[in-house]
Amino acid sequence: PRGCSVPLGVPQPAEEKAQLLQNSEYQERMVESTFLYLTLDLPTAPLYKDEKEQLIIPQVPLFSILAKFNGSTEKEYKTYKENFLKRFQLTRLPPYLIFCIKRFTKNNFFVEKNPTIVNFPITNVDLREYLSEEVQAAHSHTTYDLIANIVHDGKPSEGSYRIHVLHHGTGKWYELQDLQVTDILPQMITLSEAYIQIWKRREEDETNQQQGA
């Protein structure tokens, strides 16, 4: 991703922000860097209760947390010295993408887990809008399909992991936990607390197969 940072401590009106950007201290900087995976931030949503005092787990669409990479959404970062804003935009789309959904936060005392459910489609996730206009022209294939989904269940310190894997030859999904392997329906995958996902870019022959199905 490509990041632009502006060291602004608090939100500023548009006029004041424009004036600050004239100073060298507040100039935007553009940095291009390679990445192994993309970190997706979950909103800090508390657990709500319904009329029967039962917990309701909040949900968020995948495209809402992908907005971090649209080139215009600003995210604030804080250090012990300064605060600054960053914007991210993808400059290329590799054959495979790894999403890491940031469920865990650590403080000085313990680790907390965000149980928000991410609503995502299994196939046909188009990432074209997260590329700049000049980069879009160089990418004819921008659609991805999910091929693996790692789930974390339970508390941060006592939880367990499950893996959902697509069998490419048959198009069937399987769930793996320890030595157990079972069939799973695709619609059940989207109900899990997804933690790490692997997406495969759809190529020309695969696109034609999808359109002819």
Side-chain angles (χ1 to χ4, degrees), residues 140-152:
S140 56
H141 305 298
T142 58
T143 301
Y144 285 78
D145 299 323
L146 186 70
I147 60 172
N149 183 58
I150 300 176
V151 179
H152 183 273

Side-chain angles (χ1 to χ4, degrees), residues 94-111:
Y96 295 89
L97 272 176
I98 301 175
F99 292 164
C100 180
I101 299 172
K102 192 175 180 181
R103 293 197 172 276
F104 303 98
T105 55
K106 182 184 296 185
N107 57 34
N108 294 331
F109 303 100
F110 52 85
V111 177

Side-chain angles (χ1 to χ4, degrees), residues 105-171:
T105 55
K106 182 184 296 185
N107 57 34
N108 294 331
F109 303 100
F110 52 85
V111 177
E112 292 182 300
K113 178 185 175 183
N114 188 329
T116 298
I117 297 296
V118 178
N119 300 131
F120 56 91
I122 298 294
T123 61
N124 203 31
V125 172
D126 194 350
L127 300 182
R128 178 170 294 275
E129 65 178 283
Y130 305 104
L131 300 170
S132 62
E133 291 185 3
E134 61 271 18
V135 175
Q136 287 182 9
H139 286 75
S140 56
H141 305 298
T142 58
T143 301
Y144 285 78
D145 299 323
L146 186 70
I147 60 172
N149 183 58
I150 300 176
V151 179
H152 183 273
D153 297 312
K155 299 179 181 179
S157 58
E158 305 173 1
S160 59
Y161 291 92
R162 290 179 289 132
I163 302 175
H164 301 134
V165 178
L166 174 67
H167 187 270
H168 183 71
T170 61

Side-chain angles (χ1 to χ4, degrees), residues 19-33:
Q19 292 179 354
L20 287 172
L21 290 177
Q22 300 302 316
N23 301 329
S24 58
E25 180 183 358
Y26 295 97
Q27 287 293 318
E28 290 190 343
R29 294 186 298 108
M30 184 178 297
V31 179
E32 186 168 338
S33 60

Side-chain angles (χ1 to χ4, degrees), residues 11-21:
Q12 303 286 336
E15 298 80 5
E16 294 183 22
K17 184 176 180 179
Q19 292 179 354
L20 287 172
L21 290 177

